[in-house]
Amino acid sequence: MEAAIITVAGVSERFNEGIPEEDKRLKAIYYEKDKADTLLYHLLKKCMFADKTVVVGGYKYDDLKAYCEELPDSIKDRIVLIYNKHYADFASGYSLYMGLKEIFDKFEDVEKVLFVEGDLDIDKDSFSRVIDTKHNALTYSFEPIYARKAVVLYKNMQDRFRYAFNSNHGLLKIDEAFSVILNSGQIWKFTDTEKLKAANERFYKMEKDGTNLCIIQNYIDSCDPESFELVGLLRWTNCNRREDYRRILEYWKEDAK
């Protein structure tokens, strides 16, 4: 079987900045007019290739459950919704850990896993290229790399892929030579599920308060570098603020024409 994981547990601080408490919303299911105009709905439609899509929630989880209950049956029947109780006190890695654990505990013969962060909009063609590759997929956007917000993907002098970022949104320093440096697209495809399971178990034992990149880097380090394909994402938007959402909404309107 093929599985997908979408993580939407975060508190959405920047998205809700300056908004009264009673009006704050979970970013992944935010809409202004049409309930179908949400980041989550568009990602779920792109993940219809998967036999099951695990959605990991946390912040405003009841709102997420209610939203998913109203989805079309063709999408809803593929969803496994789980709650990350550590959404506020652990970093992003625990949501990915829970999603992977759910897949490996509940389903047999998992052959491929796609993981995408739930605050992204990616064009359909680029998303399909990630799905269709027979290799592990690492993605990059064509956005400029700003240290305060980018997750950097680079290849070091040992020809290994590595990630770097500053969780405090400050300056970024890479302490080794590199042959290529890219702005990570924050969507991945994993094809060796045994190694992915081992990376997930190691994370829980040693790094469970770390980011999702801890699991991903452990997996990359265990694989042959030649098993990865780099996929460029032609349209990539990280939805941090409501103005980002409105820009994405314009893209969706163009796509619908």
Side-chain angles (χ1 to χ4, degrees):
M1 68 168 287
E2 295 186 53
I5 299 171
I6 304 172
T7 52
V8 298
V11 176
S12 310
E13 287 184 0
R14 283 180 287 176
F15 194 78
N16 288 317
E17 188 176 10
I19 304 296
E21 187 63 36
E22 63 273 13
D23 294 329
K24 290 182 178 180
R25 302 276 293 280
L26 175 62
K27 176 168 48 176
I29 59 171
Y30 176 84
Y31 65 90
E32 295 182 346
K33 293 181 180 179
D34 188 339
K35 288 186 177 181
D37 285 333
T38 68
L39 293 164
L40 179 59
Y41 184 71
H42 280 258
L43 287 174
L44 287 170
K45 286 197 299 180
K46 292 184 175 81
C47 289
M48 289 294 284
F49 75 93
D51 298 287
K52 291 292 180 182
T53 296
V54 178
V55 178
V56 185
Y59 177 66
K60 293 191 177 293
Y61 186 70
D62 288 341
D63 293 346
L64 176 63
K65 284 200 302 181
Y67 180 82
C68 289
E69 279 298 316
E70 296 182 0
L71 291 170
D73 289 344
S74 59
I75 294 178
K76 183 169 63 175
D77 292 346
R78 295 171 183 259
I79 295 175
V80 179
L81 190 60
I82 60 175
Y83 175 66
N84 174 9
K85 66 181 180 181
H86 289 295
Y87 73 87
D89 58 322
F90 281 3
S92 62
Y94 204 77
S95 286
L96 177 56
Y97 163 77
M98 289 189 65
L100 289 170
K101 187 174 187 303
E102 181 75 12
I103 289 169
F104 293 135
D105 285 352
K106 297 290 178 64
F107 306 109
E108 297 180 358
D109 302 321
V110 180
E111 296 178 350
K112 300 172 184 176
V113 178
L114 181 140
F115 166 51
V116 58
E117 296 185 349
D119 58 356
L120 299 178
D121 174 63
I122 298 163
D123 69 281
K124 184 177 179 180
D125 289 344
S126 297
F127 205 101
S128 294
R129 288 175 57 213
V130 178
I131 294 167
D132 292 341
T133 179
K134 296 179 180 179
H135 304 286
N136 292 299
L138 306 178
T139 61
Y140 63 95
S141 80
F142 294 93
E143 296 283 316
I145 297 172
Y146 290 101
R148 69 180 185 275
K149 62 180 181 178
V151 174
V152 167
L153 171 63
Y154 68 96
K155 184 177 275 192
N156 66 13
M157 59 193 304
Q158 285 78 40
D159 213 32
R160 287 278 181 180
F161 286 107
R162 304 286 299 174
Y163 284 95
F165 76 107
N166 186 331
S167 59
N168 295 318
H169 305 290
L171 295 179
L172 182 64
K173 183 179 181 181
I174 297 175
D175 291 322
E176 59 180 333
F178 57 85
S179 60
V180 64
I181 186 166
L182 303 161
N183 193 334
S184 172
Q186 303 302 90
I187 171 175
W188 298 266
K189 182 178 177 182
F190 311 104
T191 60
D192 190 325
T193 51
E194 288 304 313
K195 288 180 179 177
L196 185 58
K197 187 185 298 184
N200 207 43
E201 291 170 352
R202 176 181 173 180
F203 170 83
Y204 185 78
K205 292 176 182 177
M206 303 177 64
E207 305 167 293
K208 64 182 179 180
D209 59 347
T211 72
N212 53 38
L213 291 176
C214 296
I215 299 172
I216 293 163
Q217 190 67 65
N218 286 338
Y219 176 80
I220 291 172
D221 291 346
S222 70
C223 294
D224 183 342
E226 297 299 318
S227 69
F228 293 91
E229 179 178 342
L230 284 173
V231 179
L233 307 176
L234 297 178
R235 190 186 79 213
W236 178 93
T237 308
N238 189 347
C239 186
N240 290 315
R241 301 183 184 277
R242 299 199 181 195
E243 51 264 37
D244 297 325
Y245 170 83
R246 295 184 183 108
R247 179 155 51 99
I248 291 167
L249 192 59
E250 292 302 313
Y251 295 146
W252 293 339
K253 288 178 182 177
E254 288 296 316
D255 291 345
K257 291 181 179 179

